Amino acid sequence: MPEGHTIRHLATLHNNAFVGTTVLAESPQGRFSDGAAALNGRTMTKTAAHGKHLFLHFDEDIVHIHLGLYGWFKLRKNKEQKPTDATRLRIANDLYISDLSAPTKCEIIDAAGLAKLTDRLGPDPLHPDADKEKAWEKIKKSTKPIGALLMDQSVIAGIGNVYRAEILFLAGLSPFIPGKNVPREMFDHIWNDAVRLLEIGARDGRIMTVAEEHMTGEEIVIHGQTQLSYVYKQTGQPCRICDQPVSQKDMVGRKLYWCAACQA
DNA sequence: ATAATATGGTGAT
DNA sequence: TCACCCTATTATC
């Protein structure tokens, strides 16, 4: 499920599976029939990710995919799988089949469309050459709370509700402090953790934010199979650091989780 | 077994 | 402001 780490992970998987090969493309569901027909039999030349947006390049044609909340890929090697009547796009070659369902966006764009899209996105912490100063310029002059700014894809691309909560917790920063009141060193802390945590997530294909020193003995054994977090979805649970109950409140239409004691 | 919820954004109203 | 996308997982009965 998709924050920036998922999209980068998918870009890597589709690069390894399809780039350089001729692919079959079809839309069993029918809502992307024209697009699939335009791609069928062509060579995938590159994959890329910016924030939560995935791009599959076929020379000048670029498939732009946004998974939204429900969207998902099922990518299998050496194994037949049946598309469902909700499968928006199937891409396949001799070895792999990838089925896409329920995306918010699946469309073909050109280089100009891609530029227009990425122009309205902030820097992606997963890009080695990301310009974090662009994010800082927006944050330091904004009156909006930092908890809202981190969810704004035009400020930083790729952070979602889980990373927002976890990054602010690790920084010990209140989600309610206006961007303009965030000290520069606090921004650096946020950015560095965004890079570090998104890289872990992109590598493993799932979010892991909790340091081993903050896990219970049992969690250290099983955390390969289970999702752990400091504050995300931990409402009422004791904080891993101070033992105070974790708080919850809506912000920007999403549930915000934080430790009122550690993030005063 | 059934209902609620969700790691998100778009586009109509 | 809200319906939509329409799956997977978790919570509740």
Side-chain angles (χ1 to χ4, degrees), chain A residues 27-40:
Chain A
S27 179
Q29 176 206 39
R31 284 185 55 186
F32 191 59
S33 295
D34 292 348
L39 303 172
N40 193 34

Side-chain angles (χ1 to χ4, degrees), chain A residues 98-131:
Chain A
S98 178
D99 286 334
L100 167 67
S101 296
T104 289
K105 190 65 109 174
C106 177
E107 62 178 356
I108 294 180
I109 60 176
D110 59 13
L114 176 61
K116 189 176 171 186
L117 190 62
T118 53
D119 276 354
R120 65 177 171 81
L121 294 174
D124 181 340
L126 286 172
H127 291 191
D129 58 349
D131 183 4

Side-chain angles (χ1 to χ4, degrees), chain A residues 220-240:
Chain A
I220 290 173
V221 175
I222 65 170
H223 78 267
Q225 293 92 50
T226 189
Q227 178 101 35
L228 302 177
S229 54
Y230 286 103
V231 290
Y232 175 73
K233 268 191 177 172
Q234 299 302 309
T235 312
Q237 294 295 115
C239 170
R240 288 176 183 272

Side-chain angles (χ1 to χ4, degrees), chain A residues 77-89:
Chain A
K77 183 179 185 182
N78 289 324
K79 195 174 173 187
E80 183 54 39
Q81 63 183 357
K82 285 210 165 40
T84 72
D85 52 12
T87 303
R88 184 81 59 88
L89 171 64

